[in-house]
């Protein structure tokens, strides 16, 4: 079964709770993992590491596909785990989508409208966000990874940490992201979905792709040259994936080229959709990585460059 809309707000995580840290994609740097777990303990959480979090590493993958899938499935279905947090992105999440027991995971989620446990991650985890929404009907959070360059740093960005903690402890609180640059003016509202552009493209033709109809689409990426961004946006436009979208809210385009060049590509490729477009919001791979609810009601005001997300709707 595929769900068209997501369920209720994820349940708040109680202080002192056990939270799983898993690696669904690439290998994890031990020193960053140590800093990230220390941060979790500082938030009065008990990190529980996936059995294959640190390998055996298989090339550019944290472990074999079935091992990574097993870690995720066990964490999601364990009633003593209150949240599932991804440790790293990279590549590999899409490889295990067909190895997960989605029926078992759906039973663990309790069925709608039960409030499922929070699931947080970004970058390559985009594929899992789409799968959780469409195959489990649950909401998730697009946010920093535990062993990434922000949460896994000795002195992490305070704004990033506050946003991350808020998503876990107060998931019903509205989220506001400001400072965006207007690409196409206007105001649009809908349900948040999206993530990393290249991962959305990688799902083309698969059941997890879905569409952007009725959505405020979140987009960002890292280390993709301007022509690659042009190519991926063109693919999504021509395939009809953006049909019915209400607005497009872009985050950081870290190491993707000059901002003015990326802005021009966004205007050229997305301007014809007739929806407001903003870029430069503080989420993605940049120095500030806000945590954004997916599957929640949002309003994008392109002129002011502000995205407001209300998880209660």
């Amino acid at each position: 079964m595929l769900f068209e809309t997501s369920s209720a707000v994820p349940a708040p995580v109680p202080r002192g709770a056990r939270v799983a840290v898993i690696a669904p994609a690439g290998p994890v740097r031990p020193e960053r993992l140590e800093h990230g777990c220390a941060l979790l303990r500082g938030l009065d959480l008990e990190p529980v590491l996936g059995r294959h979090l640190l390998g055996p590493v298989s090339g550019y993958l944290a472990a074999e596909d079935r091992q990574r899938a097993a870690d995720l499935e066990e964490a999601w279905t364990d009633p003593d785990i209150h949240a599932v947090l991804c440790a790293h992105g990279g590549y590999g999440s899409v490889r295990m989508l067909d190895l997960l027991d989605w029926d078992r995971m759906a039973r663990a989620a309790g069925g709608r409208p039960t409030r499922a446990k929070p699931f947080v991650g970004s970058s390559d985890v985009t594929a899992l966000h789409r799968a959780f929404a469409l195959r489990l009907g649950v909401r998730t959070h697009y946010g920093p990874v535990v062993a990434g360059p922000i949460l896994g740093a000795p002195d992490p960005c305070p704004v990033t940490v506050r946003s991350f903690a808020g998503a876990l402890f107060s998931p019903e609180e509205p989220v506001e992201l400001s400072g965006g640059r207007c690409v196409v003016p206007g105001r649009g509202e809908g349900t948040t979905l999206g993530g990393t552009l290249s991962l959305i493209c990688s799902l083309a033709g698969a059941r997890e792709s879905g569409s952007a109809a009725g959505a405020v689409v979140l987009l960002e990426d890292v280390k993709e040259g301007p022509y690659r961004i042009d190519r991926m946006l063109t693919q999504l436009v021509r395939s009809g994936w953006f049909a019915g979208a209400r607005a497009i809210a872009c985050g950081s385009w870290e190491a993707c080229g000059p901002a003015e060049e990326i802005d021009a590509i966004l205007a050229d490729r997305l301007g014809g959709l007739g929806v407001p477009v903003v870029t430069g919001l503080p989420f993605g791979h940049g120095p500030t990585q806000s945590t954004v609810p997916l599957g929640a009601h949002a309003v994008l005001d392109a002129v002011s460059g502000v995205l407001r997300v209300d998880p209660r709707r």
Side-chain angles (χ1 to χ4, degrees), residues 53-289:
L53 178 63
L54 293 174
V57 174
S58 178
Y60 44 77
L61 302 170
E64 296 292 339
D65 293 343
R66 291 191 180 278
Q67 293 172 326
R68 301 193 323 279
D71 281 359
L72 171 56
E73 189 174 318
E74 289 171 12
W76 185 255
T77 57
D78 185 342
D80 293 327
I81 294 294
H82 288 263
V84 180
L85 311 176
C86 296
H88 187 51
Y91 169 72
S93 296
V94 71
R95 288 173 55 113
M96 64 182 194
L97 292 180
D98 296 328
L99 301 177
L100 293 162
D101 185 339
W102 292 104
D103 289 338
R104 179 190 180 204
M105 293 174 70
R107 289 193 299 272
R112 298 186 300 174
T114 297
R115 300 176 68 175
K117 64 185 72 174
F119 175 76
V120 186
S122 57
S123 194
D124 190 74
V125 184
T126 297
L128 289 170
H129 286 303
R130 297 300 297 134
F132 272 52
L134 292 168
R135 301 182 72 153
L136 298 180
V138 301
R139 295 186 183 186
T140 57
H141 283 89
Y142 194 81
V145 291
V146 173
I150 304 297
L151 297 187
D155 186 20
C157 164
V159 175
T160 299
V161 174
R162 283 196 299 272
S163 179
F164 174 77
L168 296 179
F169 299 126
S170 305
E172 291 188 338
E173 289 298 312
V175 174
E176 180 174 301
L177 276 63
S178 60
R181 302 187 300 278
C182 179
V183 175
V184 178
R187 181 182 181 277
E189 58 182 294
T191 302
T192 53
L193 67 77
T196 300
L197 174 61
S198 55
L199 267 297
I200 293 173
C201 286
S202 77
L203 293 171
R207 69 177 68 187
E208 295 83 11
S209 177
S211 78
V216 172
V217 181
L218 308 182
L219 293 177
E220 60 87 26
D221 220 314
V222 61
K223 295 181 180 178
E224 296 286 357
Y227 82 92
R228 292 175 180 267
I229 294 173
D230 183 316
R231 183 184 66 199
M232 290 184 284
L233 292 174
T234 299
Q235 175 189 351
L236 293 178
V237 170
R238 294 192 67 247
S239 70
W241 188 82
F242 281 115
R246 304 291 179 78
I248 300 174
C250 299
S252 61
W253 299 98
E254 190 74 5
C256 290
E260 59 273 15
E261 186 174 0
I262 303 301
D263 289 3
I265 292 170
L266 294 173
D268 178 65
R269 296 291 80 199
L270 301 177
L273 297 175
V275 301
V277 181
V278 160
T279 191
L281 291 169
F283 73 89
H285 288 80
T288 301
Q289 299 180 2

